């Protein structure tokens, strides 16, 4: 399909994304606390968000490494 976006994730990033989404959902649903991510998790999720933004044709910041 022409509007599909496909990104490949390594297992660690997929796990980080799952935990972030799950904890956000639990926080919204029941007010459960959100566990702060580790530095490594932040870096992996940041890279994922950058790649997703690129795939969505979002305008990049001046810090984007491909500019």
């Amino acid at each position: 399909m022409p509007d599909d976006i496909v990104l490949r994730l390594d297992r660690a990033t997929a796990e980080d994304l799952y935990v972030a989404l799950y904890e956000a959902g639990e926080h919204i649903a029941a007010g459960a606390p959100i566990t702060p991510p580790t530095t490594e998790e932040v870096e992996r999720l940041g890279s994922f968000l950058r790649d997703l933004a690129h795939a969505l044709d979002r305008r990049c910041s001046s810090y984007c490494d491909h500019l």
Side-chain angles (χ1 to χ4, degrees):
M1 293 182 205
D3 286 338
D4 287 356
I5 293 175
V6 178
L7 298 175
R8 294 184 59 87
L9 302 176
D10 59 81
R11 180 166 291 279
T13 303
E15 290 284 348
D16 296 342
L17 182 58
Y18 174 83
V19 169
L21 292 172
Y22 181 83
E23 287 195 1
E26 287 297 303
H27 178 74
I28 291 167
I34 296 175
T35 307
T38 66
T39 301
E40 293 82 12
E41 291 167 338
V42 168
E43 290 172 2
R44 285 190 296 264
L45 289 172
S47 294
F48 167 75
L49 288 174
R50 181 200 61 220
D51 293 346
L52 180 58
H54 290 173
L56 292 169
D57 295 324
R58 298 278 181 149
R59 182 169 180 201
C60 297
S61 74
S62 59
Y63 301 108
C64 203
D65 59 1
H66 80 279
L67 295 177

